[in-house]
Amino acid sequence: MVAGISKTADELLKPFMMVVRSMPVVSWLASAILLWGMGWMTPTFIVAVSLFPVVSFNVAEGVRSVDLLLVEMAKVYRVPKKRIIVDIYLGSLVPFVLSAFKVSIGTMWKVAIVAEYLAGNKGIGVELSWAKFYLNTPKVFAYTMLAVLAGLSLEKVFDFLWEVYGKRWRISPEMH
Amino acid sequence: MADIAGNALKIEKLSKSYGTLKVLDEIDVEVKKGERVALLGPSGCGKTTILKIVAGLTRPDGGNILLEVSKIGFVFQEDRLIPWKTVCGNLEFVSSDTHKVEKVLKLVRLWDYRNFYPLQLSGGMKQRVNLARALLVEPDLLLLDEPFKGLDLEIKAELMNEILRMCRSMSITALLVTHDLREALIFADRIYVLSPAPARVKNVLEIDLPSEHRDFCDTKLLDKEKEVLSQGFWLPFGLPESPLRSK
């Protein structure tokens, strides 16, 4: 958000964002295992860190695209700053954040399974790891199928949410 | 301190430049309490800048704005409605008093559309919400920035009647900026004719038309328009062709 509001902040944050973007997932994974060991924390962190560049880029774009005429209108009517931030700035961000999630949900799911496979203590990734360890091919295929179905369902849930909550931003004119 | 007695708004020697471009050059305007005044000038002459300065959105380079009002309502040229909020939500963004919201929506005859989103409304309806939002703050001074721009004649006439009805019934002081002479004649008790940028007040016209003749197709109004045009004032661009002008 800060990067979207201030160009200076955007310039200052750019190197950090570039480092985050270019860092290989396995490096994050290794660091997370060293930090938290095996468990749910590591996969969660890996998903968050791989989602961060896409979401932050979209949020910054969203803030930049805020309709300043709406902000001006709010100033004329002396609307409190808190309301301007919540109703105008955050309101403008919703479609950008939703589209960022919509685009990266598939990748996010795959990253989560890899992270579980390497550093989790339960979940599909962990089951796949055990199936490989015991050379249980049917189990590998079964969990792969389950992962694909879960990924598709997750995408469908997001499509549904986008359909319900994104409606206001792209509602079709009916009364012209 | 300068004298403002009897006036709701007094603009004295107002000047403003954007970089090297001077847009306002010592503008003097007086608006008495309860009066409707129009600033008539060509597009780009700085009319909106005057309203923005009055509303406190822009700082002038020189001159004074003396206001004897506490609440200002602004009807913007573009509707400036929040797309993801309903009609009701847009009004509640400005005032959380739901009774007032209901009252103004009924006044502008949009109560049945309270749960509609802006994109579901026609241009005229959006401008009525824009007007309702301005009325919601119970303004002492109503600023209107070309609110009829882009509307067809029928909707324009309907909205004009709506605004005039509100101004009369609530004794609202109003300042309209427009480039359309007929709009100004229908709306105002007094018209300040501005020159192209840098805007200066070229003429001040007192309009004494009775309210029943303040209509887009009224013969008396068209006669008045012809009379004003024949006085050889600078004429605004984009003036709609009147049947009397072509005679």
Side-chain angles (χ1 to χ4, degrees), chain B residues 7-157:
Chain B
N7 290 316
L9 166 70
K10 195 170 182 181
I11 299 172
E12 289 181 337
K13 304 211 174 302
L14 193 69
S15 299
K16 174 78 185 171
S17 298
Y18 291 112
T20 54
L21 180 73
K22 190 164 192 171
V23 284
L24 302 177
D25 186 16
E26 304 209 331
I27 300 278
D28 288 302
V29 174
E30 281 185 21
V31 187
K32 292 188 179 69
K33 281 178 186 159
E35 198 179 31
R36 297 187 308 273
V37 169
L39 302 177
L40 179 72
S43 298
C45 82
K47 305 184 295 290
T48 301
T49 304
I50 299 175
L51 289 196
K52 280 188 170 183
I53 293 171
V54 173
L57 293 172
T58 306
R59 279 169 186 263
D61 295 338
N64 291 314
I65 299 284
L66 305 164
L67 276 168
E68 189 61 48
V69 291
S70 54
K71 283 177 278 183
I72 292 179
F74 204 129
V75 181
F76 299 94
Q77 199 177 108
E78 328 77 20
D79 53 75
R80 301 202 189 183
L81 300 176
I82 303 171
W84 50 92
K85 282 185 175 284
T86 59
V87 168
C88 230
N90 266 283
L91 298 193
E92 281 165 5
F93 176 69
V94 169
S95 165
S96 50
D97 188 333
T98 48
H99 292 291
K100 271 197 209 169
V101 169
E102 185 180 336
K103 197 177 138 194
V104 290
L105 276 179
K106 282 180 177 165
L107 265 177
V108 297
R109 287 169 287 168
L110 280 175
W111 178 243
D112 292 342
Y113 298 92
R114 62 190 178 278
N115 293 323
F116 278 54
Y117 287 96
L119 277 171
Q120 291 175 293
L121 303 176
S122 66
M125 287 162 115
K126 279 189 225 173
Q127 278 304 70
R128 269 155 64 198
V129 182
N130 190 0
L131 172 66
R133 186 176 53 197
L135 295 174
L136 190 61
V137 295
E138 294 172 343
D140 304 309
L141 175 65
L142 186 62
L143 304 175
L144 302 125
D145 184 10
E146 304 208 34
F148 313 105
K149 202 175 180 181
L151 301 179
D152 61 51
L153 188 63
E154 196 186 337
I155 295 168
K156 197 192 274 192

Side-chain angles (χ1 to χ4, degrees), chain A residues 18-105:
Chain A
M18 279 167 74
V19 169
V20 173
R21 254 200 300 263
S22 333
M23 202 138 137
V25 177
V26 282
S27 306
W28 285 116
L29 196 59
S31 315
I33 292 170
L34 289 174
L35 258 172
W36 297 297
M38 309 293 263
W40 65 271
M41 280 285 279
T42 303
T44 312
F45 172 75
I46 296 303
V47 168
V49 110
S50 31
L51 207 62
F52 178 71
V54 186
V55 174
S56 60
F57 177 78
N58 272 267
V59 166
E61 279 304 306
V63 171
R64 274 184 217 114
S65 71
V66 163
D67 188 349
L68 294 176
L69 293 180
L70 292 180
V71 178
E72 198 178 69
M73 175 275 293
K75 279 182 187 162
V76 168
Y77 292 112
R78 295 173 192 167
V79 176
K81 268 189 184 153
K82 198 178 156 194
R83 265 207 104 165
I84 298 178
I85 290 171
V86 172
D87 286 350
I88 296 181
Y89 280 93
L90 292 184
S92 307
L93 289 186
V94 173
F96 287 88
V97 174
L98 279 180
S99 76
F101 274 97
K102 201 167 150 30
V103 166
S104 48
I105 195 96

Side-chain angles (χ1 to χ4, degrees), chain A residues 170-176, chain B residues 118-121:
Chain A
R170 54 191 166 75
I171 200 161
S172 58
E174 287 161 14
M175 297 199 55
H176 287 279
Chain B
L119 277 171
Q120 291 175 293
L121 303 176

Side-chain angles (χ1 to χ4, degrees), chain A residues 151-170:
Chain A
L152 286 174
S153 311
L154 204 61
E155 277 186 46
K156 285 283 163 208
V157 167
F158 242 88
D159 284 348
F160 173 73
L161 287 175
W162 176 241
E163 210 39 59
V164 172
Y165 294 103
K167 217 176 183 177
R168 301 170 194 184
W169 283 265
R170 54 191 166 75

